[in-house]
Amino acid sequence: MLAALSLGAVVAAGAVAVAPADAAPSAPAVKVVAGNRAITAAWSAVSGATTYTVRLSKKRSLSHARVITTTSRTVKLGKLKNGTQYFVDVTADGPRSVRSAVVKSAAASGVPFATKKVTVSAGPAANQVKVSWSGGGRALKVAVVAGSNVTTDVRSFHSAWYPATTRSIVLTVPAKYRSTLGAGSGNPVFVKVVQSNSSSASFGPSYSYARKYRPSPAGSWAFAKAVVASALVTRLRVAELNVQSVGATAGYSTTNRWAARAQRAADYIDEAHPDLLMTAELATNKLGSCRNHPYLGQPYACRNTTQVADLAKRLTHLKVADVDAYDRVLDQMNSSKTWNGNVTNGSHVFYDPAKLTVLDWGYISPGLAPGVHFGKVTGLGVPGWTNPAIKGDRWFTWAKLRTNSSGREFFAVAGHLPVGNAAAVVKVRYAESKLLVTVLDRLAGNLPMVLGADMNGDATRDPKPAQVSFIADGWFDAAAVPAKKLRSNMKVSTANGSGKQIGAKDPGYGSKPVRHPYETSRIDYILLRNSPHTFGYANVLHLHRNGTFIKSLQGTDHNMQLATIGIGDPVG
């Protein structure tokens, strides 16, 4: 009854009831790029098309055309005469064939035209980046070259060659580079779009007139996909800071010696208000105000006049977790009959008692033989640590903590690896990192662990950086935030004393930070194990409006690394 009523209504309106005709498919949109003795054509897909017929002719009418039938949507038309104008169209063959408009181009030799804006984003899968661009042309093929530095010549890799009409490529980081550039490494993948107008199949980051090879400007980059932070975690503000030892600045101008900068360092930390702080170069050796040498029959008498104790007294809300560090270092120095630079612990864990409770703590000595020694000091047995270039047995400190709000437990570790670029130092630093990973994994078990450390190496430039040992083991860099906007000041090095400085009376205490055109070197890190959740990251700078450092907050030559992370439940 309803169907009859509807039909009557149509008839009454004077309409004729017929089946609607199928909508005609859109014609293919064709673009061409001319190169040396060739033209590359590409076109849009047409619904229902089974093949595409390409016609090339010197005449607009396409008479006497060269005809190619293909199932692809791109074709290179070769053996052409440079400087001659050619006409191209494409017909989509299917139930209803449709023909494109005619486009024209002329084959040409010479260097490819420059690309325009290059955009890089995290790829559709982990360890991938997607590179898109506009412009370019006068080329036979196009590819993407990538690397760990802005010039793409370190840890360099590349895509295959693609047709010259390509304007987007997904590039996968090779397995051998994923500890440096992969997902969770926190390091950007720098890219260049390269075009070639010759038969050469070689790649490289540099321009070559001889082989008609042109890269885009350097510097576009993206993360190779970071882990999206989970809501099922306890959030903490976590910081790492190299405080610079009292001895390191003993010869500096008065304003940058420890007595003058101690309160500035404390205020710098308090301003950030972290829940957890891991330090480096915060020494346990005695200050000048303590005249009781440990060999004078008064063991441990100077524990309250060390640099670490001095900073601890100045901080408003943080307490030191490893309260017996001075005693344990002194035990080892007395037993080994060595003093000062040969055994040291500047790596300490500070915590906010309002947020965290300390359950346990201990130490890791690179120089001691493997195994557990006195006072929860675990030896790594790193070979070569006695080399004078290593400058001492630098201990790591660990603490087991519980979050007061959720009861989640985790470990925090503070560390400082050997400094220097000498071959012996690089070798020991890398060996130490490999052994350290094993010991820390065993210590943490299935609980989360946070490591704040001065690695004294740049993961993207150094040949054997310590960081890659951790990332290869499944650790996660807290700087690997889900989006660029969630991290700040990454164009300034974490160590202000490295490289060029502005207005510095003492190394690392310049009047302004040095800003680089691109993301630059990092030697200070916050790494996560069993809980790869990061919500924000900052290389902390406190500056006046004119860009100069606020001197009252400049208490060390390094910048604090500050991350908001998530502590999750034990892993299965």
Side-chain angles (χ1 to χ4, degrees), residues 188-223:
V189 180
F190 290 95
V191 305
K192 293 180 180 179
V193 176
V194 296
Q195 299 176 96
S196 175
N197 198 19
S198 77
S199 59
S200 172
S202 62
F203 289 89
S206 304
Y207 174 92
S208 173
Y209 177 82
R211 58 190 177 98
K212 305 298 183 282
Y213 181 91
R214 183 171 194 156
S216 68
S220 296
W221 64 269
F223 300 125

Side-chain angles (χ1 to χ4, degrees), residues 1-68:
M1 184 66 181
L2 289 174
L5 179 60
S6 297
L7 178 59
V10 171
V11 172
V16 178
V18 295
D22 292 337
S26 299
V30 180
K31 63 178 179 180
V32 295
V33 172
N36 186 34
R37 301 185 62 210
I39 292 173
T40 302
W43 53 92
S44 58
V46 174
S47 178
T50 54
T51 59
Y52 297 93
T53 300
V54 183
R55 294 175 177 82
L56 170 78
S57 175
K58 294 179 182 178
K59 299 181 180 294
R60 182 177 289 277
S61 64
L62 293 171
S63 59
H64 303 95
R66 183 193 304 181
V67 180
I68 298 172

Side-chain angles (χ1 to χ4, degrees), residues 279-356:
T279 69
E281 274 197 62
L282 184 59
T284 48
N285 53 302
K286 62 187 179 65
L287 298 177
S289 56
C290 181
R291 302 183 184 278
N292 297 309
H293 193 285
Y295 294 159
L296 298 180
Q298 295 183 356
Y300 318 133
C302 296
R303 67 162 64 94
N304 294 322
T305 51
T306 60
Q307 186 184 14
V308 59
D310 188 24
L311 181 66
K313 286 183 289 188
R314 297 171 186 269
L315 296 174
T316 60
H317 74 290
L318 295 178
K319 294 186 179 298
V320 64
D322 47 300
V323 293
D324 64 342
Y326 175 79
D327 299 2
R328 300 291 75 78
V329 169
L330 211 61
D331 288 343
Q332 174 58 9
M333 288 191 290
N334 285 333
S335 64
S336 63
K337 304 302 179 185
T338 57
W339 177 238
N340 281 339
N342 296 309
V343 180
T344 183
N345 185 8
S347 303
H348 305 281
V349 176
F350 288 79
Y351 69 103
D352 181 355
K355 299 286 186 67
L356 301 167

Side-chain angles (χ1 to χ4, degrees), residues 119-124 128-133 141-145 158-163 165-172 191-194 203:
T119 303
V120 195
S121 59
Q128 290 183 333
V129 292
K130 182 178 181 181
V131 186
S132 303
W133 63 95
K141 51 196 173 185
V142 65
V144 172
V145 171
H158 56 79
S159 70
W161 285 111
Y162 284 76
T165 48
T166 303
R167 291 297 178 268
S168 182
I169 291 174
V170 173
L171 187 64
T172 301
V191 305
K192 293 180 180 179
V193 176
V194 296
F203 289 89

Side-chain angles (χ1 to χ4, degrees), residues 239-422:
E240 181 276 342
L241 180 63
N242 182 316
V243 181
Q244 197 174 35
S245 73
V246 60
T249 56
Y252 283 15
S253 57
T254 303
T255 189
N256 291 323
R257 296 175 191 169
W258 178 248
R261 64 184 176 88
Q263 192 58 49
R264 305 201 312 257
D267 291 344
Y268 180 43
I269 295 167
D270 282 341
E271 183 72 18
H273 206 84
D275 305 320
L276 179 69
L277 168 69
M278 286 80 70
T279 69
E281 274 197 62
L282 184 59
T284 48
N285 53 302
K286 62 187 179 65
L287 298 177
S289 56
C290 181
R291 302 183 184 278
N292 297 309
H293 193 285
Y295 294 159
L296 298 180
Q298 295 183 356
Y300 318 133
C302 296
R303 67 162 64 94
N304 294 322
T305 51
T306 60
Q307 186 184 14
V308 59
D310 188 24
L311 181 66
K313 286 183 289 188
R314 297 171 186 269
L315 296 174
T316 60
H317 74 290
L318 295 178
K319 294 186 179 298
V320 64
D322 47 300
V323 293
D324 64 342
Y326 175 79
D327 299 2
R328 300 291 75 78
V329 169
L330 211 61
D331 288 343
Q332 174 58 9
M333 288 191 290
N334 285 333
S335 64
S336 63
K337 304 302 179 185
T338 57
W339 177 238
N340 281 339
N342 296 309
V343 180
T344 183
N345 185 8
S347 303
H348 305 281
V349 176
F350 288 79
Y351 69 103
D352 181 355
K355 299 286 186 67
L356 301 167
T357 298
V358 175
L359 304 177
D360 198 3
W361 69 89
Y363 309 95
I364 298 172
S365 161
L368 288 175
V372 179
H373 296 260
F374 58 90
K376 296 181 182 176
V377 180
T378 301
L380 292 180
V382 179
W385 81 274
T386 56
N387 188 312
I390 307 304
K391 298 180 181 177
D393 183 18
R394 277 195 179 122
W395 289 7
F396 279 64
T397 293
W398 61 265
K400 186 177 182 181
L401 302 128
R402 182 174 60 231
T403 60
N404 295 342
S405 61
S406 65
R408 289 187 168 100
E409 295 181 1
F410 70 100
F411 285 86
V413 182
H416 191 187
L417 278 86
V419 60
N421 297 318

